[in-house]
Amino acid sequence: MSPTRERRPSEEDAPDRATLARQRRGRRSEEERRRTRVAARPSPRNRPNRQVEIRRRWVALLTVLTVVAAVYLLFFSSMLGVQDVAVTGSRTVSADQIRTVAAVPADKPMLRLSTDEIRDRVAAMPGIATVEVSRSWPNTVEITVTERTAIAFFDSGPGGDGVHLVDGGGVVFKTVPSRPPGLPELKLPKVSADDPVTRAVTAVLGVIPEQLLKQVTTATAKTPASVEFTLASGKIVRWGTPEQTDRKAKVLAALLTQDGKVYDVAAPELPTITS
């Protein structure tokens, strides 16, 4: 037998092989394109749920509506507006008078009230020392006042405008028809909270012991450091400045047990008694 010789590709076979190669490349390309389309196509699990989207939109809408309603109720509706004005701390100044001066607008939304303006109007009243204004939800404005307390008085004399009450800061805050019992009279050329001498005298009257204050009938001074007062017994006390109150009071209590006319405790370490 003659050996089998390997068949060599003929020229006629070449076009068929080329065609097959092109066909294989074409199939691969088509397969790749199909896979790409499949990969780009969203799966059912990744598609947005329409009901969830609708629910989200409703929640957002309701949130906006709630905020708008809250702003309207708080800032524009009378539902949370002023219905009552409560006044506490008033004694000699009537609560109705304080309400009138406060001028709190009825039904105005609480958050739109200016508590500072209300406070300033009430604080301008002569008999009021301090004012606090606050909101008490849902519909009440609370005004708490501290009235001025008279510590002395002065009489404007013939042709004047009457008897005036003065507090511990030298503020003249009230006019009364007659001299009030139990209060010392200020004997000063000028009585005003802006006057240093007035402030010094009222400061002394505000710090001396109550038992001693009850004995004082008049108080005077030429300078802020020369305060003196007269007692019901006719004795004169030279007190000096408002400083060292406790020490001066103790020294004076000891001195008053001795006879004399003028008791000087302006310098408590060197007190004197003169007849």
Side-chain angles (χ1 to χ4, degrees):
M1 291 179 61
S2 61
T4 303
R5 289 185 303 176
E6 183 180 355
R7 182 175 177 272
R8 295 180 180 178
S10 64
E11 292 181 359
E12 290 80 4
D13 297 333
D16 293 336
R17 288 195 297 271
T19 300
L20 291 173
R22 284 196 298 271
Q23 291 175 350
R24 286 195 295 270
R25 287 197 298 271
R27 285 196 297 269
R28 286 197 299 271
S29 298
E30 181 63 27
E31 181 68 18
E32 289 175 356
R33 286 194 294 272
R34 188 183 67 81
R35 291 176 181 176
T36 301
R37 288 194 299 270
V38 171
R41 187 182 306 152
S43 65
R45 289 178 299 177
N46 295 332
R47 293 173 186 169
N49 188 310
R50 184 171 179 79
Q51 291 182 347
V52 173
E53 282 296 317
I54 293 175
R55 188 180 300 114
R56 289 175 180 171
R57 292 178 183 179
W58 273 109
V59 170
L61 178 60
L62 289 175
T63 301
V64 172
L65 292 176
T66 300
V67 172
V68 171
V71 171
Y72 176 77
L73 286 174
L74 291 173
F75 290 94
F76 300 99
S77 173
S78 61
M79 185 176 296
L80 293 178
V82 179
Q83 301 295 330
D84 186 30
V85 179
V87 178
T88 58
S90 61
R91 298 188 310 275
T92 60
V93 181
S94 71
D96 288 340
Q97 185 180 0
I98 292 173
R99 291 188 187 94
T100 300
V101 173
V104 181
D107 296 327
K108 184 169 184 177
M110 296 276 281
L111 282 181
R112 293 177 60 192
L113 284 176
S114 174
T115 55
D116 290 343
E117 291 181 1
I118 297 171
R119 179 200 62 204
D120 292 343
R121 287 195 290 268
V122 176
M125 298 178 70
I128 303 299
T130 63
V131 186
E132 292 182 4
V133 180
S134 60
R135 301 176 180 89
S136 179
W137 296 97
N139 304 106
T140 302
V141 175
E142 294 184 348
I143 302 176
T144 303
V145 300
T146 302
E147 294 187 2
R148 297 189 184 278
T149 301
I151 200 169
F153 73 92
F154 78 94
D155 191 341
S156 55
D161 53 357
V163 178
H164 305 276
L165 302 183
V166 184
D167 73 355
V171 176
V172 182
F173 66 92
K174 189 175 183 180
T175 302
V176 293
S178 60
R179 295 186 172 206
L183 290 180
E185 181 182 3
L186 299 180
K187 294 288 189 178
L188 299 171
K190 176 184 178 181
V191 178
S192 169
D194 298 327
D195 178 37
V197 176
T198 300
R199 292 199 304 270
V201 174
T202 55
V204 169
L205 295 176
V207 297
I208 62 177
E210 184 177 357
Q211 185 177 1
L212 177 60
L213 179 61
K214 292 179 179 179
Q215 301 178 53
V216 178
T217 57
T218 62
T220 187
K222 293 181 179 179
T223 68
S226 63
V227 178
E228 66 178 53
F229 42 84
T230 303
L231 304 181
S233 61
K235 296 178 179 180
I236 298 173
V237 177
R238 291 177 178 168
W239 190 269
T241 65
E243 285 75 25
Q244 295 183 285
T245 299
D246 292 340
R247 186 174 183 183
K248 290 178 180 180
K250 292 177 181 179
V251 171
L252 179 61
L255 293 181
L256 289 175
T257 61
Q258 304 178 39
D259 293 334
K261 178 65 176 178
V262 179
Y263 298 80
D264 192 332
V265 293
E269 62 278 1
L270 295 172
T272 60
I273 302 175
T274 56
S275 300

